[in-house]
Amino acid sequence: MHATPDETPDRTADRPTGDDHATTGRLPRRAFLGGVGVAVLGVATAGGAGAFQRTSPPSTGMSGAAIPAADMDPLDLLKRMLSFDTQNSGQGGKTRPHAEMLKAVWERAGVTAEIIDTPQPDNVHLLARIPGQGSEKPLLILGHSDVVPVEEENWDVDPFAGEVVDGEIYGRGALDMKGANSAMISALLRHLDEGATFDRDIIVLTDCDEEAGSYGSGWLAENHWDKIDAGCVLTEGGWFLAQSDKTTPMLITATRQDNVYFNIDIVAKGTATHSSKPMPDDSAIVTLSRALTTLGEWEARVELTDVTREYFRALADATTNRDFAKVIRLMLKAKSQPSRERAAALVVKHSDYPYLHRALLRTTHAFVIQEAGYKENVIPSEATTRVNCRGIPGGEKPRDFLAAVRKLLADKEVEVVLAGNPGESEEQALARLDTTWATPPADIDTDLWRALESAAEETYEGTPFAPALFEAGTSLGPWREKGVPGYGVYPYVLSNEQLIGMHGNNERIYVEALQQGSDYMYDVFGAMRV
């Protein structure tokens, strides 16, 4: 087992430094078209990082001193981020050492950075602010520092070593979302190294408790809103998808809306008795298992919204797989629910990202936690499974999904319970979810959205760009509640296997894609230079 947060070892002592890394020029604009199985960015697979090579004469950061090349190298920076164990098992993580490392990075660039303590020891936020001319409200870059726990025994490499193997960098958080943080921060540092001034302040918030906990962005907004008040926010979200070869960019997306997060519990009861005399017809565990089998074989109905329709239209135009494009268009043209369901099944079947595209078509339900029993010689009287659900805003309402599950399991002798907030009645929880479900997508008539789009055209020449729905959730809630537009990108091209590694084992991204993602973010921020 890995060390608990309070016992987290300091893994930074052996991290590589910028002096160990070779430098290369900027990637070709069009794409990385393979070659990820060998040396990447001039990096041997032994694990050295490919440092950013300046494309203009060295300048100075805001401090007047040259910014270290290693800090502008997204791979070097990501390796350092990954070396910190910031696992969050549900009650926050230990993020202070990670924050102190990043604070030093910002200070070397002459940028003021502040660690914001929370009531939980060593669980902190880091806030850096790059002053601009103030002609626009600030842009806030939102990236979380905590990561989900690892099953270390199921990894092929140390999840906190940032090891590069066959052109991919492995580590917990490599995808979600230290990789994105590295791409964005290194891009900003490149601008500062060139002496750039922006038309607005840029706030970079590396927050804690995004994966769970009491002191995340909501707590920060309640206690320090003046520090994070912004006109637009950019965080994790949109996927950069590849063609069937797993590397050539197919579709660049930015998300303007998150799915609706809620949980239900499936509860079965039975007779508690001695385990030497089992009662198969009165077993809570057996009853629950039968209900879960039924629920596991069922899917919610397909629902297309304006946001997801636009996404799938763009996907049909972007793919080189003609069969995939054909079934997408069939789904979009379907006039009846049965024909839409049949076409949607074919979309998932033909997709190189089947689990992603299934999740964008309907409310999903995933079995995540199971509880039953407390002693091996006692048959328990109750068994419960937590089901995590993600609903599509403007699609099927959570209350309708709940009703459908109850109807499905009506004869299974189980109770279906909506797991609301503490002290919240079911109707109060449903009303809250109704409000979230009805929240409109972020306005895309903004300069930040236009920068995201134009940067895609520049960095991934010839690759379509489209708005999308994020099938998961982010920390954007406090800003969305105030009507502040918020968007999301994971700025690197991913294969389906890498996408599955998110919150799973052997999480990793392509080194070359990370570098190109940093180039993309450089172009995004370049639109705000004066």
Side-chain angles (χ1 to χ4, degrees):
M1 294 295 292
H2 207 272
T4 62
D6 290 338
E7 301 167 337
T8 303
D10 182 358
R11 297 176 178 267
T12 62
D14 298 325
R15 71 170 183 255
T17 65
D19 295 336
D20 299 326
H21 307 326
T23 58
T24 71
R26 191 170 180 176
L27 292 175
R29 283 291 189 183
R30 171 64 182 98
F32 66 104
L33 298 174
V36 295
V38 292
V40 178
L41 297 175
V43 181
T45 56
F52 162 71
Q53 177 176 317
R54 291 184 178 90
T55 55
S56 59
S59 182
T60 58
M62 298 178 67
S63 64
I67 298 173
D71 289 350
M72 296 181 288
D73 172 12
L75 181 58
D76 188 291
L77 191 56
L78 177 54
K79 280 175 169 282
R80 281 177 272 165
M81 291 178 178
L82 293 174
S83 71
F84 293 93
D85 182 341
T86 56
Q87 292 179 84
N88 182 342
S89 298
Q91 300 298 323
K94 182 180 179 181
T95 61
R96 183 181 298 278
H98 179 272
E100 289 172 344
M101 180 276 292
L102 272 184
K103 184 173 185 287
V105 168
W106 286 117
E107 289 175 345
R108 284 194 291 272
V111 176
T112 299
E114 174 188 9
I115 290 176
I116 300 176
D117 291 296
T118 72
Q120 181 175 335
D122 290 329
N123 193 29
V124 304
H125 301 276
L126 176 69
L127 199 68
R129 192 177 192 113
I130 302 169
Q133 289 192 348
S135 59
E136 302 286 344
K137 286 201 71 173
L139 164 65
L140 188 139
I141 307 300
L142 173 62
H144 62 86
S145 58
D146 58 327
V147 297
V148 297
V150 298
E151 298 173 340
E152 192 161 357
E153 67 278 8
N154 293 325
W155 282 63
D156 295 334
V157 299
D158 182 346
F160 298 99
E163 185 174 347
V164 175
V165 180
D166 293 337
E168 296 174 286
I169 179 167
Y170 286 67
R172 174 56 86 225
L175 191 164
D176 179 24
M177 73 167 291
K178 291 178 179 178
N181 294 343
S182 171
M184 295 180 188
I185 292 171
S186 61
L188 280 169
L189 292 174
R190 286 163 60 181
H191 281 292
L192 295 178
D193 187 59
E194 295 166 3
T197 299
F198 298 101
D199 62 4
R200 70 203 72 189
D201 287 6
I202 297 180
I203 305 167
V204 183
L205 169 60
T206 310
D207 70 338
C208 62
D209 282 11
E210 192 277 340
E211 297 293 358
S214 302
Y215 305 110
S217 63
W219 177 88
L220 193 63
E222 183 177 348
N223 291 276
H224 299 282
W225 178 252
D226 59 314
K227 298 178 185 294
I228 58 173
D229 187 9
C232 275
V233 185
L234 182 63
T235 189
E236 60 189 329
W239 300 111
F240 292 15
L241 302 184
Q243 299 285 6
S244 295
D245 65 2
K246 301 183 180 181
T247 57
T248 302
M250 173 178 67
L251 181 64
I252 307 303
T253 71
T255 45
R256 55 189 296 224
Q257 194 173 37
D258 292 353
N259 263 357
V260 182
Y261 182 108
F262 62 103
N263 292 304
I264 59 176
D265 289 334
I266 313 298
V267 184
K269 297 185 182 297
T271 298
T273 187
H274 197 285
S275 61
S276 64
K277 296 177 283 298
M279 304 167 63
D281 295 331
D282 192 16
S283 165
I285 292 176
V286 172
T287 299
L288 178 62
S289 298
R290 290 170 179 157
L292 297 183
T293 297
T294 298
L295 185 57
E297 294 172 348
W298 174 83
E299 289 186 315
R301 68 176 187 262
V302 172
E303 294 271 2
L304 293 172
T305 66
D306 290 344
V307 173
T308 56
R309 280 184 177 277
E310 184 173 6
Y311 169 82
F312 280 108
R313 280 195 295 268
L315 184 62
D317 292 339
T319 180
T320 57
N321 183 330
R322 294 183 179 180
D323 290 338
F324 186 38
K326 180 179 179 180
V327 295
I328 292 173
R329 295 187 176 110
L330 282 174
M331 179 184 71
L332 294 173
K333 292 189 295 185
K335 301 299 184 184
S336 67
Q337 189 65 25
S339 60
R340 187 174 299 111
E341 297 284 349
R342 288 192 295 270
L346 291 172
V347 168
V348 174
K349 178 180 178 181
H350 286 278
S351 174
D352 290 323
Y353 300 85
Y355 308 110
L356 169 63
H357 290 137
R358 178 181 175 272
L360 294 176
L361 290 169
R362 54 173 58 83
T363 303
T364 58
H365 58 282
F367 306 109
V368 291
I369 301 173
Q370 189 153 301
E371 296 179 343
Y374 57 90
K375 200 170 187 295
E376 64 190 30
N377 63 349
V378 178
I379 296 175
S381 62
E382 184 171 301
T384 302
T385 292
R386 171 62 56 91
V387 184
N388 181 242
C389 308
R390 312 284 179 137
I392 296 175
E396 182 180 31
K397 285 188 173 183
R399 64 172 66 242
D400 295 334
F401 176 83
L402 179 64
V405 172
R406 283 175 171 161
K407 181 178 179 181
L408 176 73
L409 302 181
D411 63 347
K412 300 300 181 183
E413 299 181 332
V414 294
E415 184 180 7
V416 179
V417 180
L418 177 65
N421 294 330
E424 192 177 46
S425 70
E426 179 175 295
E427 192 48 49
Q428 289 172 328
L430 289 173
R432 171 174 52 80
L433 293 171
D434 283 348
T435 299
T436 304
W437 174 88
T439 302
D443 181 13
I444 58 175
D445 185 19
T446 65
D447 54 0
L448 176 56
W449 183 266
R450 288 185 284 272
L452 292 167
E453 184 171 17
S454 63
E457 294 169 357
E458 176 71 12
T459 310
Y460 302 93
E461 182 181 350
T463 304
F465 173 87
L469 167 72
F470 191 34
E471 77 284 358
T474 68
S475 295
L476 279 172
W479 294 272
R480 284 192 168 134
E481 289 172 4
K482 295 179 182 291
V484 177
Y487 315 115
V489 292
Y490 283 111
Y492 21 73
V493 176
L494 296 165
S495 69
N496 183 59
E497 291 76 16
Q498 291 170 334
L499 190 56
I500 292 171
M502 180 182 186
H503 285 204
N505 299 319
N506 291 322
E507 182 178 351
R508 62 200 188 275
I509 59 175
Y510 293 123
V511 171
E512 194 168 1
L514 173 66
Q515 177 67 66
Q516 194 168 28
S518 182
D519 290 346
Y520 171 76
M521 295 311 310
Y522 178 87
D523 288 336
V524 171
F525 299 134
M528 298 163 197
R529 285 181 65 156
V530 293

